[in-house]
Amino acid sequence: MELQHLRCFLAVAETLHFGEAAHRLDMLPSALGRNIRLLEEALGTRLFTRSTRRVALTENGILLREEARKLLAHADAIMLQFRQNPRRAQPLLRVGTIDSAAIGLLPGLLQLFRQRYPEVEIQLYEDKTVHLLPKLKSGRLDLVFIRPPSQLDPQFERLFLCHEPGILALPLSHPFADRDAVEIRELEGMPMILPERRSRPHSHDLTMNLFHHAGVKVTVSQMADEKQTIINLVAAGIGLAIVPAWSSRFQVAGVKFVQLTGPEATGMPLEAVWMHEAQDEIRDTMLTLLKEHPELYG
C-alpha cells in the first residue's frame, strides 16, 4: 500500500465521483482507477460499490476513510517537518519538469542558479504534466515546469513563461529535406505522426490546430506518446511530425528539422507552477531568477 493509493482513495471517498476525484488530483481517470484497484488488491477487500448512477463506500471503505485522513495528515506533517528543518545539512529544491523544459529550459536555468547558490541541492524529476501536478499537491515536489491543463486547481500559483512554437521533423529522404521552411498547407495528404491527446493534449492540439487554421485535413499515419519515439519513427520513414522547437536538440540520425510557415499558431504554453500557500525561500529564489532572465525561455 502506497501513500499515492491512499490519496486517490480519499479523493474518491470525499467526492463519491471518479471524474471529480481525478480532476481534483489532476490525473487521468484511468490512472485513478488503477490506483484504487491496487489498493483494494493490497487490502484484500472492496472499498466502493459502483453502478452506472452512483459510487458508494463499502463498510470497509468507511473505516479506511478516517484512517487514510489520519495517515496522510501525519505523512504530510513529517514531510513538512523535515523540509523546513533548519538543521538540514544542505538546502533542497525538488523540481518536476516535462521533457521539453528538461531539454530547453533547465540546463541554462540550473547553470545560472548553481553559480549563484552552489549550496542548494536540486533534485530533478522528469514526467508528464498529469503526473507532476499530483506530486506537487502532495508536497513531494516544490516547483514544476509543465504544459498547464485547461483548468488549474486554485491551490496552485502559476508563472507563464512562453509559447513554444512547433517545427517539422521529416526524414532526410523526404523531398522537403533540402528546404529551410515548409508551409502547413503543403503537408495535406502526407502521413503525420501524432501523440495521443489524453496523455499529451498540447502536443496533439498543436498539429490539429495548425492544419485546421490552414484549411487542410490531417492524415494520421501513427500515434505515439514519447517525443523520442516519434522522432525515431520519423527517421524510419513512418511519417512526418510537428514537435516542440526544443525537440530539435535530440539530433537523431536521418531526421531534419525545418521551420513551419503559413497561418500563425500560438504554440504550446510552458508555465512554472507551485503551491499557493507553501512558503519556500529557495523556490522563490529560482522564480525570481526566471523573471530576471527571460532569455532562458524567450
Side-chain angles (χ1 to χ4, degrees):
M1 180 173 64
E2 300 179 6
L3 290 178
Q4 177 65 4
H5 297 163
L6 289 176
R7 294 187 193 282
C8 291
F9 162 76
L10 193 56
V12 179
E14 291 176 343
T15 61
L16 295 179
H17 193 285
F18 276 76
E20 291 181 14
H23 179 72
R24 176 189 290 190
L25 296 173
D26 290 301
M27 64 192 305
L28 294 173
S30 58
L32 175 67
R34 183 167 57 252
N35 278 275
I36 297 297
R37 287 194 300 274
L38 290 173
L39 179 59
E40 289 179 329
E41 291 173 4
L43 297 176
T45 185
R46 293 287 300 276
L47 300 172
F48 298 99
T49 59
R50 313 170 210 185
S51 68
T52 56
R53 295 186 177 182
R54 63 190 296 268
V55 175
L57 287 162
T58 63
E59 290 187 11
N60 284 333
I62 293 173
L63 291 174
L64 181 62
R65 181 175 58 189
E66 296 307 314
E67 294 302 322
R69 285 172 176 161
K70 295 175 185 177
L71 282 169
L72 290 173
H74 186 55
D76 291 341
I78 291 174
M79 187 177 299
L80 184 63
Q81 176 185 349
F82 279 87
R83 182 71 181 86
Q84 297 180 343
N85 186 356
R87 293 176 293 178
R88 191 180 189 278
Q90 187 175 20
L92 172 67
L93 183 66
R94 299 161 300 172
V95 178
T97 177
I98 60 171
D99 50 7
S100 285
I103 296 169
L105 171 65
L106 267 297
L109 175 61
L110 294 186
Q111 181 183 39
L112 187 59
F113 190 87
R114 290 184 187 280
Q115 288 173 354
R116 295 195 183 185
Y117 310 100
E119 73 283 1
V120 176
E121 176 188 354
I122 300 176
Q123 295 178 354
L124 289 179
Y125 303 85
E126 187 176 336
D127 210 332
K128 296 183 178 69
T129 294
V130 70
H131 298 143
L132 291 174
L133 286 176
K135 293 178 181 177
L136 178 64
K137 182 177 287 188
S138 67
R140 287 174 287 170
L141 293 175
D142 306 305
L143 178 67
V144 297
F145 295 97
I146 61 168
R147 307 274 188 220
S150 56
Q151 292 185 332
L152 194 63
D153 192 302
Q155 295 183 60
F156 294 130
E157 193 75 27
R158 65 205 296 178
L159 172 66
F160 174 79
L161 299 177
C162 65
H163 276 110
E164 185 183 0
I167 56 175
L168 180 66
L170 69 168
L172 287 176
S173 58
H174 195 277
F176 291 165
D178 60 349
R179 295 166 55 174
D180 294 325
V182 173
E183 290 192 28
I184 293 294
R185 60 180 179 80
E186 296 181 272
L187 300 178
E188 185 172 18
M190 293 189 180
M192 302 297 299
I193 305 169
L194 273 70
E196 294 279 359
R197 193 181 191 284
R198 57 179 173 76
S199 60
R200 294 187 181 273
H202 288 289
S203 296
H204 178 92
D205 289 350
L206 174 67
T207 298
M208 301 302 292
N209 290 337
L210 283 171
F211 274 74
H212 175 73
H213 292 154
V216 294
K217 184 179 179 181
V218 181
T219 301
V220 180
S221 64
Q222 182 65 52
M223 305 293 281
D225 277 351
E226 302 301 329
K227 291 185 180 69
Q228 185 72 57
T229 301
I230 290 174
I231 294 174
N232 284 328
L233 290 173
V234 171
I238 304 300
L240 315 183
I242 297 174
V243 295
W246 284 334
S247 301
S248 63
R249 302 187 187 185
F250 280 128
Q251 296 297 318
V252 175
V255 175
K256 182 177 180 180
F257 297 92
V258 301
Q259 298 297 315
L260 290 168
T261 60
E264 292 186 358
T266 305
M268 290 175 288
L270 178 67
E271 294 188 358
V273 177
W274 61 98
M275 292 300 293
H276 176 70
E277 296 183 354
Q279 302 297 315
D280 192 320
E281 292 184 5
I282 303 173
R283 177 206 65 206
D284 292 343
T285 299
M286 178 168 282
L287 289 169
T288 299
L289 201 60
L290 276 169
K291 296 174 183 177
E292 292 176 348
H293 294 273
E295 72 276 5
L296 291 171
Y297 50 86

